[in-house]
Amino acid sequence: MNNASSLTPLHDNHSHKSSDNINVITSESNKDNPSNNKVQGITSTLLLAVFAAISGTSFHFGYATGVMNSPQGVIQIFIREIIHRRNSNSNPSESTITLIFSLAVSIFAVGGMIGGLCGGFLTDRFGRKGGMLLNNIISFIACILMFISKPRNSYELLIVGRFLIGLSCGYGSSVAPTYINEISPRRLRGTLGVVFQLGVVTFIFISQGISLHSVLGSTHTWHYALGLPIVFSIIQVILLFIVPESPKYLLLKKNDSKGAEKALQWFRRQSNVQEEITEMEEEQNNQQHSAGIISLFRTPIVRWALFITVFLQLSQQLSGINAVFYYSTVILQAAGFNKEIAEYTNLSLGGANILVTILSIFLMDRVGRRLLHLIGLGGMIITSLILFISLLLQSINVWNKISLAMTILFVCFFAIGPGSIPWLITAELFNQAYRVPASSIAVLVNWSANFAVGLGFKPLFTGALDKYTFLLFTGLLVIFFLLTFFFVPETKAKTVDNIYAELRTGQVWRRRFHIYHFNNEDYNTEHQHSLTTI
């Protein structure tokens, strides 16, 4: 399960004022910039634009993540029948059928890797709106191929369709959050940033319901369930003709100041937007050129931020959450539930995911990213350990109920932390110059781990490691918890310069109200060096 990347923090307007020494306040209030205290509200036009961005991206992402879960039995029968029809003497083994089905599941992530890696170029070349419009061509083709795979008796078409929808979702997980982040007021970045993830989890739930055997998951109708997301693309295309392009893209990439001002006025529903335009112009003056991927490794502080980005993305995907979303029916059957109960119980996972993600929207800009991520990882460690024990003892009646409860809590803790926070923190760790290459790296790492889990979990869980598979995830979660505690700073409502100042101290695990002193001249010299090495 995935969530999306977007890297759009603004520069600290006071970072270049002359002074022998400056005090960098690392408290959550970020009082060094008084303008941050002005909270801008959410307008109807802003909400419309956010909905337009997620309708053809996160909706596809969530739906494609969950839709293969419940009907996997009938799809495996479909694969077996095709092989037998092509060669009546063949009798494919169960492991062969499992491998082909696992490929159909995991090829989605391969497409995601490629789509995310290409996302930066396409987004800068065609714009945020233009990129999303082009992306719908891919999703259209994908839905058609998956739909016709059954009448054409070709599991290859299903696999190609899953690859293309992954390609679309990989790019969408980069461009849509970028658009949302760039049109959002700074104080609402966290709140609106979670909306993409909310769209994902909502449509995981919807796909789980639609793909039930009694709805569209039967032998004769499962291909309708896979082709249905074409509706999401139609909705997005219509809405994108209504909403404007990102003001930041218009100003910083197209040098269209009038267009940027007009777009910002549309989003804010007010005529006076000069303060935000001025901030963007200052950012433009500081960032004359876009950086390439190699530039991320040349500057120590940016390289350190990239390291944090990589292990945060891994903490999301290697937590075991996609094993639950892709194969929860298998897990619940292993816990002692029959197939029908496992399918319907699976809906409770989607419902819990939605409710806790909604809760996280209200907590994100109050509690902060770092603490919520630690709470989420800590909760997942405990629940995965108990889930492992319950699967070992599933022959005792009460333990199969405990395994169900732990699976639901595992999803809840994921939703409150690792579900969206890795993308939000990544969004706030890089300035405008490094946004595109860092976003590409983040998406590549995220989807690569997604692919590994999607392809490897079922063979491990049903073969090599059996119930001990979840113990492997527990160990990884412990590592990610420690890395987060010692190295991840709080980024809520902070500028990139303030975040880097805290990273330079190497003491992000200390109390948030500590004040650190830096030599302003040395700080600005290193900061300017990071810009000239592009």
Side-chain angles (χ1 to χ4, degrees), residues 2-20:
N2 311 334
N3 305 340
S5 80
S6 140
L7 315 173
T8 57
L10 299 175
H11 280 286
D12 181 4
N13 294 335
H14 298 280
S15 63
H16 298 288
K17 288 186 177 180
S18 59
S19 171
D20 293 333

Side-chain angles (χ1 to χ4, degrees), residues 130-149:
M132 286 187 281
L133 284 169
L134 290 173
N135 193 42
N136 282 295
I137 297 175
I138 304 298
S139 59
F140 262 85
I141 297 173
C143 291
I144 292 172
L145 290 179
M146 288 187 291
F147 176 76
I148 67 173
S149 63

Side-chain angles (χ1 to χ4, degrees), residues 26-28 364 366-372 425 428-429 487-495 498-499 502-503 508 512:
T26 60
S27 67
E28 294 178 355
M364 196 64 62
R366 291 172 173 83
V367 176
R369 286 72 152 136
R370 172 186 160 87
L371 179 58
L372 284 180
I425 292 181
E428 296 163 333
L429 280 177
F487 299 119
V488 177
E490 179 55 68
T491 60
K492 185 188 75 172
K494 292 180 181 178
T495 63
N498 288 343
I499 295 169
E502 185 174 347
L503 286 176
V508 300
R512 304 264 62 80

Side-chain angles (χ1 to χ4, degrees), residues 152-396:
R152 299 295 297 176
N153 293 313
S154 171
Y155 63 77
E156 292 88 354
L157 287 178
L158 172 61
I159 293 173
V160 173
R162 286 283 294 177
F163 170 77
L164 291 178
I165 199 65
L167 193 70
S168 173
C169 290
Y171 177 65
S173 68
S174 174
V175 64
T178 297
Y179 179 75
I180 293 171
N181 215 294
E182 290 183 350
I183 66 176
S184 302
R186 184 186 298 180
R187 282 289 181 176
L188 295 175
R189 286 187 315 204
T191 299
L192 294 177
V194 180
V195 172
F196 184 91
Q197 179 67 10
L198 179 60
V200 172
V201 301
T202 299
F203 276 82
I204 288 176
F205 177 74
I206 290 174
S207 70
Q208 289 169 341
I210 288 177
S211 61
L212 287 173
H213 187 274
S214 58
V215 187
L216 289 179
S218 69
T219 304
H220 303 292
T221 58
W222 60 265
H223 60 300
Y224 286 94
L226 269 62
L228 182 64
I230 197 169
V231 176
F232 311 154
S233 295
I234 294 172
I235 292 173
Q236 185 177 58
V237 169
I238 294 172
L239 292 179
L240 285 176
F241 283 106
I242 300 174
V243 303
E245 178 61 271
S246 157
K248 182 171 286 190
Y249 173 79
L250 291 173
L251 183 65
L252 302 185
K253 295 293 183 181
K254 307 300 289 185
N255 293 317
D256 184 2
S257 58
K258 290 184 178 180
E261 183 176 2
K262 184 178 179 180
L264 200 55
Q265 289 170 343
W266 190 89
F267 290 119
R268 303 292 181 262
R269 297 294 295 271
Q270 63 182 38
S271 58
N272 185 12
V273 293
Q274 192 55 47
E275 183 178 349
E276 285 192 75
I277 292 294
T278 300
E279 285 183 332
M280 293 181 195
E281 289 173 342
E282 289 177 355
E283 183 177 359
Q284 185 181 41
N285 292 334
N286 290 329
Q287 308 293 331
Q288 294 297 328
H289 304 285
S290 295
I293 288 179
I294 300 300
S295 299
L296 292 168
F297 300 92
R298 290 176 177 168
T299 307
I301 191 63
V302 177
R303 189 165 59 241
W304 188 246
L306 184 64
F307 165 72
I308 293 173
T309 293
V310 167
F311 78 70
L312 282 176
Q313 298 299 330
L314 291 176
S315 76
Q316 182 188 80
Q317 293 300 325
L318 298 184
S319 64
I321 192 63
N322 275 339
V324 172
F325 285 136
Y326 289 152
Y327 301 112
S328 58
T329 302
V330 174
I331 295 169
L332 292 171
Q333 285 181 275
F337 295 95
N338 65 47
K339 186 177 186 298
E340 184 177 359
I341 293 177
E343 285 184 355
Y344 281 97
T345 304
N346 189 38
L347 290 176
S348 63
L349 301 180
N353 201 5
I354 294 172
L355 291 176
V356 180
T357 301
I358 292 173
L359 175 63
S360 72
I361 292 176
F362 297 99
L363 295 176
M364 196 64 62
D365 285 322
R366 291 172 173 83
V367 176
R369 286 72 152 136
R370 172 186 160 87
L371 179 58
L372 284 180
H373 195 62
L374 287 170
I375 291 172
L377 290 174
M380 292 178 79
I381 291 171
I382 296 171
T383 53
S384 64
L385 185 59
I386 298 176
L387 178 59
F388 159 68
I389 295 172
S390 68
L391 289 173
L392 287 180
L393 302 176
Q394 56 92 13
S395 58
I396 303 175

